Amino acid sequence: MKYELLKTEKKSRARLGRVITNYGIFETPMFMPVGTKATVKSLTPEELKEMHCGIILANTYHLWLRPGPDLIQKAGGLHAFMHYDGPILTDSGGFQVFSLAKNKKDIVEEGVYFKSHLDGQKLLLTPEKSIEIQNKLDSDIAMSFDECPPASAGYDYLKNSVERTLRWAERGKKVHQNERQALFGIVQGGAYEDLRKFSAEETVKMGFDGYSIGGVANDGESKEDMYKAIDYSIPYLPQDKVRYLMGIGDPIDLIEGVIRGVDIFDCVLPTRIARHGQAFTRTGKINFHNAKYKEDFTPIEEDCDCYTCKNYTRAYLRHLITTEEMLGGRLLSIHNIRFLVKLMEELREAIQNDTILEYREKFIEKYGTSKK
Amino acid sequence: MKYELLKTEKKSRARLGRVITNYGIFETPMFMPVGTKATVKSLTPEELKEMHCGIILANTYHLWLRPGPDLIQKAGGLHAFMHYDGPILTDSGGFQVFSLAKNKKDIVEEGVYFKSHLDGQKLLLTPEKSIEIQNKLDSDIAMSFDECPPASAGYDYLKNSVERTLRWAERGKKVHQNERQALFGIVQGGAYEDLRKFSAEETVKMGFDGYSIGGVANDGESKEDMYKAIDYSIPYLPQDKVRYLMGIGDPIDLIEGVIRGVDIFDCVLPTRIARHGQAFTRTGKINFHNAKYKEDFTPIEEDCDCYTCKNYTRAYLRHLITTEEMLGGRLLSIHNIRFLVKLMEELREAIQNDTILEYREKFIEKYGTSKK
């Protein structure tokens, strides 16, 4: 994997770039849809390509439990297994272990003991194990195993956690064996400037193929803290490596992240809200459970180029959503992913034209704040 | 709508034909996938066309309750509402009223009083109401409203029921006003030769655009009785009108129906079993919950031309099904519908070659009997 920085915007830290992988090239900034269990829920790879998705994410934790990395390796890796020949990034499993696993987890130096969210089975995930699984999955980009403490964890806890995450990153790097696969380091440290600086500098010293900013999608994290986390990390990351803000998908947050120098993002938001009947629009999210769309024979957005907007009315989408038809979630997923990918295209254009701050202003004027 | 009989097979009653509608031409024999609530579950119209589906069915009962015929009329009819520009047949709502509606129904001369399966609301469906709804839905083919008594109803009940269904057919025909829409009559009479003959002759006297054989997909109906019902009805139906066997989708039954002179069929079977993890194959149905497919990296069928078989392995499909991913049901639906549509293509070829009895023999040799 190779990252090429093409341009930095004049009035911000926003960057235009290009990522070259064995499975294709994509431009940054880019949004990654999440294919949790080796499928972006309800969609085919062909549909993702039609939406111009440059890269997708798959979850190591879920694939570890089912169907297991050995099976996927036997299938010829994740690309062959899920019939997707574009770039794939896998997370480390850390976030899921900390957020999904049942009951309490036991964080020790070796790794994390926890119970499977499926059957309560006691499991241990370590930095080495995470990398071993990702090596077998054969994704294009693997992530280091990190601790994801809650926003409520105090300074002292976070300081220890940042140090442990550095030791874990070192251990993971040592066992990383898949030469076709890039490995990213993760910057942690909450909203504390000195911790973020320390975490970023030490992680960069180890020399990874790219860098993530973690700990911004945890329970209870405020918008303000998220922006701080980015601002406190970015200055210490090298210009010639890609930067990835983990777990963020709100349109305003994506714009703010890009302005602050982030290149790639992932989030379940567009597909999750789709299944709950919500769609992004330029004037904010709309909810198809709302009766006002009952006789609305216009598309979600008149000027959207997605398959859903070109062919279906809000009235039909509302019918599918309220009668719990699978096609509803599928069609809204197509629109919502395309909305975020298109947003990224517009941000790339704004970077090219050095107009990203004006773009943000105009976008927020119509969309409202991210709390809407 | 117009039906053209192209050829009758030499050794059976099997017919090759062509149906011409305002929304396109399709060849018969043909299988119709069911789009209950104006959507063939999980699939798009483009996918249905790629599978060479000639016509689909939508359910009047479900669309009456949600979103309602007035809304669909405002949308420009069912084709525009669901973005499907091929032929659509709507049923009368009768079957659902008899099989789905909660609690007891009250069958009177006027129609059927019953409670909505959604909210228990008391409703009345009459022959006039059914036609009025279908006129508004603007399907290409509408069905007469008939009574669907259970297989266990005795001769006397069925005799009265057949007579009532004739009176209902007459009433529906009188109010049918959509000139672009064909109207079919329905032959009832259980497995009784004299009742089927009477029902068929009297229905034909009224002069419909096509004829259905009903009462064969009811609870408790045996295979033997189904074949009898067909054999006792077909001789009294005109050669120049299309014949439709309602609610049948088992591959062997389709072959038997075609051999007996049926032209079109519908059934939820291919999509329903898909959502439950089952797929048709030439050697019988397979169930992806079965562990033996865990490491099976072959397609469902090597020589199948469907999107699923061209791109996905059994191992991946099993993973999607066992982890309850929506894409699983979608991919199996594609295969199962294509399987039945392809079966019809082969039956048309066999009719052309006067080899349909040999085709049946060879098919059953591999597939087994329909009870498998």
Side-chain angles (χ1 to χ4, degrees):
Chain A
M1 196 215 76
K2 207 183 138 207
Y3 171 74
E4 291 177 0
L5 174 63
L6 300 175
K7 180 185 192 280
T8 302
E9 208 253 358
K10 276 191 183 147
K11 290 166 279 180
S12 73
R13 285 176 173 156
R15 296 142 43 100
L16 195 67
R18 186 188 286 142
V19 175
I20 298 143
T21 77
N22 293 327
Y23 281 90
I25 296 168
F26 63 90
E27 294 194 311
T28 58
M30 180 57 77
F31 175 80
M32 296 187 277
V34 177
T36 305
K37 293 180 266 176
T39 161
V40 176
K41 289 191 191 303
S42 86
L43 303 179
T44 62
E46 287 80 2
E47 284 167 330
L48 294 166
K49 286 195 179 167
E50 202 186 310
M51 294 174 228
H52 302 289
C53 293
I55 175 170
I56 62 169
L57 179 143
N59 290 121
T60 291
Y61 169 84
H62 290 284
L63 296 173
W64 176 30
L65 299 191
R66 294 185 301 186
D70 292 322
L71 180 79
I72 291 179
Q73 190 175 38
K74 274 187 199 167
L78 203 42
H79 298 85
F81 182 61
M82 68 184 286
H83 165 58
Y84 184 80
D85 66 358
I88 303 175
L89 181 149
T90 44
D91 63 7
S92 70
F95 184 78
Q96 280 71 32
V97 164
F98 286 96
S99 66
L100 263 187
K102 275 178 189 165
N103 309 323
K104 73 176 186 73
K105 23 246 149 217
D106 195 8
I107 306 159
V108 296
E109 188 58 26
E110 190 185 2
V112 185
Y113 288 94
F114 66 98
K115 288 185 177 173
S116 158
H117 79 288
L118 293 175
D119 58 6
Q121 192 194 347
K122 200 177 171 182
L123 295 165
L124 168 65
L125 191 57
T126 66
E128 291 83 2
K129 183 77 189 169
S130 170
I131 297 297
E132 181 200 323
I133 297 166
Q134 293 181 78
N135 280 179
K136 286 180 179 172
L137 298 179
D138 200 24
S139 55
D140 301 278
I141 302 173
M143 301 301 301
S144 295
F145 185 67
D146 61 333
E147 187 186 350
C148 305
S152 56
Y155 181 87
D156 291 344
Y157 186 94
L158 277 174
K159 188 168 186 296
N160 283 327
S161 169
V162 160
E163 285 165 359
R164 178 159 46 216
T165 287
L166 287 169
R167 293 191 296 273
W168 284 0
E170 188 76 58
R171 281 166 52 192
K173 195 168 185 291
K174 211 168 278 176
V175 298
H176 184 254
Q177 294 190 328
N178 187 330
E179 284 177 8
R180 292 186 308 276
Q181 186 178 57
L183 180 61
F184 281 20
I186 302 180
V187 179
Q188 287 283 358
Y192 297 102
E193 189 164 10
D194 63 327
L195 294 185
R196 284 282 170 185
K197 178 174 186 284
F198 173 72
S199 175
E201 285 180 340
E202 294 303 312
T203 308
V204 169
K205 272 186 205 161
M206 290 182 215
F208 286 96
D209 302 307
Y211 298 91
S212 299
I213 299 170
V216 293
N218 297 351
D219 272 355
E221 190 79 19
S222 72
K223 295 273 172 196
E224 200 184 307
D225 282 354
M226 177 175 71
Y227 300 149
K228 276 187 193 168
I230 305 169
D231 287 334
Y232 296 159
S233 303
I234 289 284
Y236 310 104
L237 300 179
Q239 286 291 330
D240 62 345
K241 300 288 175 189
V242 76
R243 302 153 177 182
Y244 162 31
L245 184 65
M246 301 169 81
I248 299 298
D250 174 272
I252 305 290
D253 293 344
L254 296 180
I255 297 171
E256 296 291 354
V258 167
I259 286 174
R260 285 165 169 79
V262 175
D263 303 309
I264 58 175
F265 305 84
D266 80 285
C267 197
V268 295
L269 192 70
T271 43
R272 179 170 291 167
I273 67 171
R275 295 194 305 282
H276 290 105
Q278 294 185 300
F280 289 125
T281 80
R282 295 294 164 142
T283 53
K285 278 198 294 244
I286 63 174
N287 188 329
F288 281 106
H289 288 283
N290 192 320
K292 75 178 181 188
Y293 303 114
K294 204 171 161 66
E295 299 198 1
D296 186 342
F297 299 115
T298 64
I300 305 174
E301 296 194 288
E302 288 288 356
D303 55 354
C304 177
D305 61 4
C306 84
Y307 168 75
T308 303
C309 287
K310 281 191 284 186
N311 297 300
Y312 301 90
T313 64
R314 293 175 170 198
Y316 183 64
L317 294 166
R318 176 180 147 78
H319 166 66
L320 294 178
I321 291 297
T322 55
T323 61
E324 294 174 346
E325 280 289 341
M326 290 163 73
L327 186 61
R330 178 179 164 196
L331 293 177
L332 292 189
S333 291
I334 289 174
H335 172 77
N336 286 347
I337 291 176
R338 178 61 192 147
F339 184 92
L340 296 186
V341 171
K342 183 87 186 337
L343 174 62
M344 291 293 153
E345 290 170 7
E346 292 177 7
L347 289 170
R348 295 202 294 271
E349 200 190 329
I351 295 168
Q352 193 68 63
N353 299 333
D354 297 305
T355 54
I356 200 162
L357 300 182
E358 293 88 333
Y359 181 90
R360 171 174 64 183
E361 199 178 325
K362 276 186 195 163
F363 190 92
I364 291 176
E365 205 173 284
K366 280 172 129 185
Y367 190 86
T369 67
S370 56
K371 279 174 196 80
K372 181 166 177 174
Chain B
M1 196 214 77
K2 209 182 136 204
Y3 171 73
E4 290 177 0
L5 174 63
L6 300 175
K7 179 185 193 271
T8 302
E9 208 253 359
K10 276 192 184 144
K11 292 167 277 181
S12 72
R13 285 178 172 154
R15 295 140 45 100
L16 194 67
R18 186 187 288 142
V19 175
I20 298 142
T21 77
N22 293 325
Y23 281 90
I25 296 169
F26 63 90
E27 294 192 312
T28 58
M30 179 57 76
F31 175 78
M32 296 186 278
V34 177
T36 305
K37 292 181 266 176
T39 162
V40 176
K41 288 191 192 303
S42 86
L43 304 178
T44 62
E46 287 82 2
E47 285 166 331
L48 293 166
K49 285 193 179 169
E50 202 186 312
M51 294 173 227
H52 302 290
C53 293
I55 174 169
I56 63 168
L57 179 143
N59 289 122
T60 291
Y61 169 83
H62 290 284
L63 295 173
W64 175 32
L65 299 191
R66 295 185 301 185
D70 292 322
L71 180 80
I72 291 178
Q73 189 175 39
K74 275 187 199 166
L78 202 44
H79 298 84
F81 182 61
M82 67 183 288
H83 166 58
Y84 183 80
D85 66 358
I88 303 175
L89 181 149
T90 44
D91 63 6
S92 70
F95 184 77
Q96 281 72 30
V97 164
F98 287 97
S99 66
L100 262 187
K102 273 180 190 164
N103 309 323
K104 74 176 186 70
K105 22 247 151 214
D106 195 8
I107 306 159
V108 294
E109 188 59 25
E110 189 185 2
V112 186
Y113 286 95
F114 66 98
K115 287 184 178 172
S116 158
H117 78 289
L118 294 174
D119 58 7
Q121 193 195 347
K122 199 175 173 183
L123 294 165
L124 168 66
L125 192 56
T126 66
E128 291 84 1
K129 183 77 189 170
S130 170
I131 297 297
E132 182 200 322
I133 296 166
Q134 294 182 77
N135 280 180
K136 286 180 179 172
L137 297 178
D138 200 26
S139 55
D140 300 280
I141 302 173
M143 301 301 299
S144 296
F145 184 69
D146 63 331
E147 187 186 349
C148 306
S152 56
Y155 181 86
D156 291 343
Y157 186 94
L158 278 174
K159 188 168 186 296
N160 284 326
S161 169
V162 160
E163 285 166 358
R164 179 161 43 219
T165 287
L166 288 170
R167 291 191 296 273
W168 284 0
E170 188 77 57
R171 281 167 51 191
K173 194 168 187 289
K174 211 169 279 176
V175 298
H176 184 254
Q177 293 189 330
N178 187 331
E179 285 178 6
R180 293 186 305 276
Q181 186 179 55
L183 179 62
F184 281 21
I186 302 179
V187 177
Q188 289 282 357
Y192 298 102
E193 188 164 11
D194 62 328
L195 295 185
R196 285 280 170 187
K197 177 173 187 284
F198 174 71
S199 175
E201 285 180 340
E202 295 301 314
T203 307
V204 169
K205 272 186 205 161
M206 291 182 216
F208 286 96
D209 301 309
Y211 297 91
S212 299
I213 299 169
V216 293
N218 296 351
D219 271 357
E221 190 81 19
S222 73
K223 295 273 174 200
E224 199 184 306
D225 282 355
M226 178 176 70
Y227 301 149
K228 276 187 193 168
I230 306 170
D231 287 334
Y232 296 159
S233 305
I234 290 283
Y236 310 103
L237 300 180
Q239 286 290 330
D240 62 347
K241 300 289 176 189
V242 75
R243 301 152 178 183
Y244 162 30
L245 185 65
M246 300 169 82
I248 298 299
D250 175 272
I252 305 290
D253 293 344
L254 295 180
I255 297 170
E256 297 291 354
V258 167
I259 286 174
R260 286 165 167 79
V262 175
D263 303 308
I264 58 175
F265 306 83
D266 80 286
C267 198
V268 295
L269 192 71
T271 43
R272 179 171 291 165
I273 67 171
R275 295 194 305 280
H276 290 104
Q278 293 184 302
F280 290 125
T281 80
R282 296 293 163 143
T283 53
K285 276 197 296 242
I286 64 173
N287 188 329
F288 281 106
H289 289 283
N290 192 320
K292 76 177 180 188
Y293 303 114
K294 204 172 162 61
E295 300 198 1
D296 185 343
F297 300 114
T298 64
I300 305 173
E301 295 194 290
E302 288 288 355
D303 55 354
C304 177
D305 61 6
C306 85
Y307 168 75
T308 304
C309 287
K310 281 191 285 187
N311 297 300
Y312 300 91
T313 64
R314 291 174 171 200
Y316 183 64
L317 294 167
R318 176 180 147 79
H319 166 66
L320 294 180
I321 291 296
T322 55
T323 62
E324 295 176 343
E325 280 289 341
M326 290 164 72
L327 187 61
R330 180 180 162 195
L331 293 177
L332 293 189
S333 291
I334 289 174
H335 172 77
N336 287 347
I337 291 176
R338 179 59 193 147
F339 183 92
L340 295 186
V341 170
K342 184 86 183 342
L343 174 61
M344 291 292 152
E345 290 169 6
E346 292 176 9
L347 289 170
R348 294 201 294 271
E349 200 190 330
I351 295 169
Q352 193 69 63
N353 300 334
D354 297 307
T355 55
I356 199 159
L357 300 181
E358 293 88 331
Y359 182 90
R360 171 174 63 185
E361 199 178 323
K362 276 187 195 163
F363 189 92
I364 291 175
E365 205 173 284
K366 282 173 127 184
Y367 190 86
T369 65
S370 57
K371 278 175 198 78
K372 180 164 178 174

